[in-house]
Every structure is written in structure tokens, then in C-alpha cells.
Amino acid sequence: MSTENEGNPVPPAPSAPPVPPSGSPAPAPHSQAAGPAQGETLPPRPDTPPARGAEETPPPGAYRADPYADAPHPGAVPQDSAPGGYQEAPERRAAVLATSGAPGTPGAHEHTQGAPAPAPGLAPPGGDPYAAPHAAVPPPVGAWPPPPPPAVPTYADAGGAGGWGAAYESAEHKPRGGRRGGLLAAVTAAALFAGALGGGVGYWAAERNDESVDSTTVSASDTPADLKRDPGTVSNIAATALPSVVTIDAKGGGGEGGTGTGFIYDKQGHILTNNHVVASAAEGGQLSVTFSNGKKYDAEVIGRAQGYDVAVLKMKNAPSDLKPLPLGNSDKVAVGDSTIAIGAPFGLSNTVTTGIVSAKDRPVASSDGGNSKASYMSALQTDASINPGNSGGPLLDARGAVIGVNSAIQSAGSGLGGAGQAGSIGLGFAIPVNQATEVAQTLIRTGQPVYAVIGASVSLQESGGGATITQEGAGGSDPVSPNGPAAKAGLQPGDVITKLDDTVIDSGPTLIGEIWTHQPGDSVKITYERDGKERTANLVLGERKGDSG
């Protein structure tokens, strides 16, 4: 039988010595398992013949592990497979077999940890010298039996008990001597001392090493001149504009509401924003505005235009040091101009983002996703990040002047102004400030919006071929208002309008948005198709007051 650890090869064992023949008589029991009994004389050394008559003389060729050891422990039984000529008590062997499994018996493990262990008090070959009450003396040179086999290799994990095939002995059965405990304590103390000494030396070396590191860093200057933000930089524009931008909190009578943005329009405390920001609180709700310094004021709606998506608020008990934002000229804006958007995206007040004007005169029809009617604009398009909550905030140019009122975004998977809280994908739309200013002045003056109209109903389907005058008007009314601007210009149901002045019209929403950039009374040139032929007509725009129509 071979003994091996799983995964570790075991060197070949030396030739096994002869064992007593089967049926050799067992030695007489001894009254004690280990050491000489009181008054008993120790056996003589090899040069003295044995004095004990009860000592059994091994048959020729038999081998004893220690010919001078005491008799076997009580209860030992003959067994011709036990090493060293001593035998194990049956109950001890049964316990070992139950644990490790016996070769050749059912349930035995393939990788056996060893044969049965010697009984306490006996020191088999290679055993612990401190476990025996006396030191074993090797036999004379050249004498038989030969020297014991080598000790179990360290990887066999037999605890130093026995030769090849020795059984595994659990920790609780290992003999523990005072000298071994003292040696262990001494080794532990030495290890602790060495660890403490090494730690101290390491700390000393690390400290000296830290002191000796040559690391040169360069600090940025923090003088006021170096920290100055020159006019025209984003930081300078933001610092100047933020005190004039407010976060709007709107709450309706039923608890609905939301957050948006607005900016100081004049020194009288008027605030310009989007209609959809304040619509929920316009009828019996609550409105408040908060400045970048944290000061909060109540506000009320002065007027709102759902079609333009513009509203004007006025603060109650407004401070006297208000600074309105300067208004630019949106007609002078060019594609590629720098833009800065300020607002409260997702409620994050005083957020500043930058971009450029990526397109002009972009026809946009938007809504807040509710039951409200759509708003139409010929918008400025920007890639500055605009998100829900930015609505109503200013879109500034590189000088810090307002060129638009942020109003809508195009989001992946949703239409313009559609439901949901989708974020920016770089397509934001702002109402040109020139149009917003005209609407705001009207709202401040009269409290209601005024819209330019042509006096004809057009399809809102985006066909791409133009704006088609419908065969029937809203609610069964005439598609072309009698004696209205379109009727006077000779337009009829079925005509397809393709241009308004020089602007190409590809759908009804585009036509409405372009008309609303004009004022009532303006004269425009209409290009349209009838029966496959292109025609033109001049007409004077009419007006409609309020959002009822």
C-alpha cells in the first residue's frame, strides 16, 4: 500500500523489513501503556542481556521497532500487518478505519492518508523522541535488525508518527510534551520580536525615503489678475447673466405642476418664459420664482399665448435692483454663432451649457404632451444641451444678449415636445427673441395674444409638398373665410401653398409658424399650385385675438 497526498507524488519507500509470521504469540499485557512502572527496572543497554523473563524473543527474521521499548499497551491484539511488531487495540483500529477507510474494504478512499497509528506510549520508527519516557539507543553497527526506515516525508502529514504506511493521527491524539511547548513559545516570541524589529526598521526607512524624495510641483497663480474672466468668455457671460435668471415653480390647484426657467424682462419685474411652464398654475394655482442667490418671490401670470408658447409673469414685491437681460436681434443671427443656454434642467437650477446655432427658421410644432393645442414657431436650432426644466430660459449669444427663448427639444424615440422626460440629443429649439418680444409687449399691454392669419384652414399633415387648403373648415365652418385675406387674394379649397415670400412651405405647420413671425397688417406674397399650375398672389395678413380660435 502506498500513501500520498492528493496531487503530490510520494517518493518510493525503502524495502520493507520482514514481519513476524502470522500467529506469533502476543506479548504479555503490561499494567501501564507508557514508561516503566513504579519499582520496575529499565532494560539494559544493547551490551547487557535482557533481564525480563516475560520478554518475548522475536522469531528469526522478525523486526522490532525498538527492542528496548516497554511492552505493548493493554488490549493490543495480534495483527501481522502492524508495523514494528506491535499491535493496535481493536477499538482504536476501528476508529481509524472508519475515518480513513481501509484498503481493500468497501468505502475506502483512493488517496489514503496512512495505516493505523501506534498506540500511545510507543515510539514507532521515526516517531517523536519526546513522546517516549526514555531515549532510544540505536542498535550496534552491523547488528540485526537493520536500522528503521526513514521518517514519513513532510508532505505525508503523518505528524512524525511511524514509517511508511503510518496512519493519520488527528491533532487531539498527538502527544504534547513540555519541551515542545517551550520550543513553540520561544519560536513565537522570536517571531514577534523579529516582526516588531522589522516594522520599526521599515518605518524608519520609509520615513527617510519620504524625506529624500525629490518631487517638484508647479502651483497655478491665484492672483486676481490671473483669475480675471475677460468679457466675452463663457464664465464672464454666465456670471453676468445668472443673477437675472430665475427658476419657476408652478403648482396647479389639484397639486399638478412642474419646474421651468424664466428671465428678467424689464425693471418693472416682468419675467419672460414659456406658456407651458406656467399653464398648470394659470387658473388658481401658485407661482414662485427663485433667483440664483436663493431669494424667492411670489409671482402671477400677466398674460400667456398658447399658440406662441410665450407667457409673461410679474413678481410681487419685486426688488428694486433688478437687472434685465439685454435683448439681441434674432434676425441677425448666423448659423455657427456661439450660444449659451441657462436654465434648470430636471430641477438643477443655474445650469449653464454651450453650443452653436445649428440652423435657423426651423419649422417646429410642439406641445407639452397634454391636451393643450400645439404651438408653432420658426425656431432657432442649437446643439447647446437643453432638457426638461430649461424651458423658458434664455439662449444667449457670445455677447450675453438674449437671441431666443428655449422652448422645445427633439429627443430620440419621441416627437417634438412629446410626452416623457427624454433628454437632450443636441437638437434644441428656441423661439426667436424678436418674435417673443412682440408677443410679450402685447401681453403686457392687453393681457391677450394677437395672431396674424390668412383666413383659410390648412391641413396639418406634413405631406412635404406644401400646405393644402382643406375642403372643410374647423367645426364645419368655411375653409376660406368669406371676405378674409385668402378670399380677397383668390385662394380656393384644394390650392397648395408652396411659398410665403421667399420661404419654402412644405406643410401646414410650417405655413402657420412662418405667418406668426409677421404682424397683422403685413403684406406677403403667396405662391401656390392649382390644377398642376403655379400661381402667385399678394395678400394682407389679418388678425385673431386670444387663443379661443
Side-chain angles (χ1 to χ4, degrees):
M1 182 184 72
S2 65
T3 303
E4 62 181 36
N5 281 342
E6 190 165 347
N8 296 321
V10 178
S15 300
V19 297
S22 176
S24 297
H30 198 279
S31 59
Q32 271 195 302
Q38 185 174 6
E40 183 180 355
T41 305
L42 290 173
R45 294 296 179 184
D47 54 352
T48 304
R52 289 177 291 183
E55 180 76 12
E56 178 189 357
T57 302
Y63 165 63
R64 288 291 297 265
D66 185 357
Y68 311 103
D70 293 318
H73 59 282
V77 296
Q79 183 175 335
D80 52 20
S81 63
Y86 62 87
Q87 313 300 325
E88 279 190 332
E91 63 276 12
R92 169 61 177 160
R93 185 169 185 273
V96 173
L97 292 178
T99 303
S100 303
T105 61
H109 295 288
E110 180 181 356
H111 299 289
T112 308
Q113 292 294 332
L122 295 180
D128 188 346
Y130 303 108
H134 58 82
V137 179
V141 178
W144 183 262
V152 177
T154 57
Y155 52 76
D157 196 22
W164 299 104
Y168 173 81
E169 185 174 9
S170 60
E172 61 269 19
H173 294 103
K174 290 185 179 180
R176 300 183 180 271
R179 292 181 58 190
R180 170 174 291 186
L183 178 60
L184 178 60
V187 171
T188 303
L192 291 175
F193 175 75
L197 179 61
V201 172
Y203 176 80
W204 173 80
E207 187 178 41
R208 288 181 59 84
N209 187 54
D210 287 344
E211 294 175 354
S212 63
V213 170
D214 185 12
S215 177
T216 303
T217 61
V218 179
S219 298
S221 174
D222 58 358
T223 60
D226 294 323
L227 297 178
K228 181 180 179 181
R229 274 76 180 181
D230 295 330
T233 61
V234 174
S235 56
N236 177 266
I237 293 173
T240 302
L242 277 170
S244 299
V245 179
V246 297
T247 298
I248 300 173
D249 184 20
K251 293 182 180 179
E256 71 281 4
T259 300
T261 308
F263 61 91
I264 303 301
Y265 179 72
D266 58 24
K267 292 185 178 182
Q268 285 70 40
H270 291 109
I271 296 173
L272 191 58
T273 186
N274 286 143
N275 172 68
H276 73 262
V277 170
V278 301
S280 61
E283 303 294 339
Q286 296 180 347
L287 284 170
S288 63
V289 298
T290 305
F291 284 83
S292 59
N293 60 8
K295 293 184 178 180
K296 189 174 183 178
Y297 298 86
D298 291 335
E300 60 182 346
V301 177
I302 296 299
R304 57 193 186 100
Q306 179 270 323
Y308 295 122
D309 197 19
V310 172
V312 176
L313 310 182
K314 187 172 184 179
M315 287 185 291
K316 299 177 181 179
N317 302 316
S320 59
D321 58 348
L322 292 175
K323 295 180 180 179
L325 286 180
L327 304 178
N329 185 348
S330 53
D331 291 340
K332 301 295 183 182
V333 172
V335 173
D337 285 352
S338 296
T339 58
I340 302 172
I342 303 179
F346 299 103
L348 302 175
S349 301
N350 311 316
T351 296
V352 178
T353 57
T354 63
I356 63 169
V357 174
S358 52
K360 290 181 63 178
D361 303 321
R362 179 71 70 194
V364 174
S366 66
S367 70
D368 59 6
N371 296 324
S372 61
K373 297 179 181 179
S375 299
Y376 302 94
M377 68 187 84
S378 182
L380 295 175
Q381 180 178 302
T382 181
D383 65 349
S385 182
I386 298 175
N387 290 284
N390 274 104
S391 295
L395 183 68
L396 309 176
D397 62 13
R399 303 170 300 158
V402 180
I403 57 174
V405 180
N406 299 320
S407 181
I409 61 172
Q410 173 71 57
S411 296
S414 68
L416 294 176
Q421 290 287 298
S424 171
I425 60 171
L427 292 173
F429 305 99
I431 304 167
V433 72
N434 289 7
Q435 179 182 7
T437 298
E438 292 289 342
V439 176
Q441 291 288 4
T442 301
L443 293 176
I444 292 173
R445 184 175 61 252
T446 67
Q448 62 179 346
V450 176
Y451 298 94
V453 295
I454 63 171
S457 296
V458 295
S459 172
L460 298 180
Q461 300 297 322
E462 298 185 6
S463 61
T468 303
I469 299 177
T470 60
Q471 297 294 327
E472 184 177 347
S477 61
D478 293 330
V480 177
S481 300
N483 204 31
K488 291 179 180 179
L491 296 177
Q492 301 176 4
D495 290 346
V496 180
I497 300 173
T498 58
K499 282 186 180 181
L500 183 94
D501 291 333
D502 294 329
T503 301
V504 175
I505 305 299
D506 59 3
S507 64
T510 300
L511 176 63
I512 295 173
E514 187 62 27
I515 291 173
W516 285 356
T517 63
H518 293 76
Q519 297 298 315
D522 288 350
S523 179
V524 295
K525 180 181 178 181
I526 298 291
T527 301
Y528 63 98
E529 293 180 357
R530 180 187 296 169
D531 298 331
K533 295 181 180 180
E534 185 176 272
R535 304 168 184 261
T536 61
N538 292 321
L539 60 79
V540 177
L541 295 174
E543 71 173 24
R544 189 193 76 207
K545 293 182 179 181
D547 285 318
S548 58

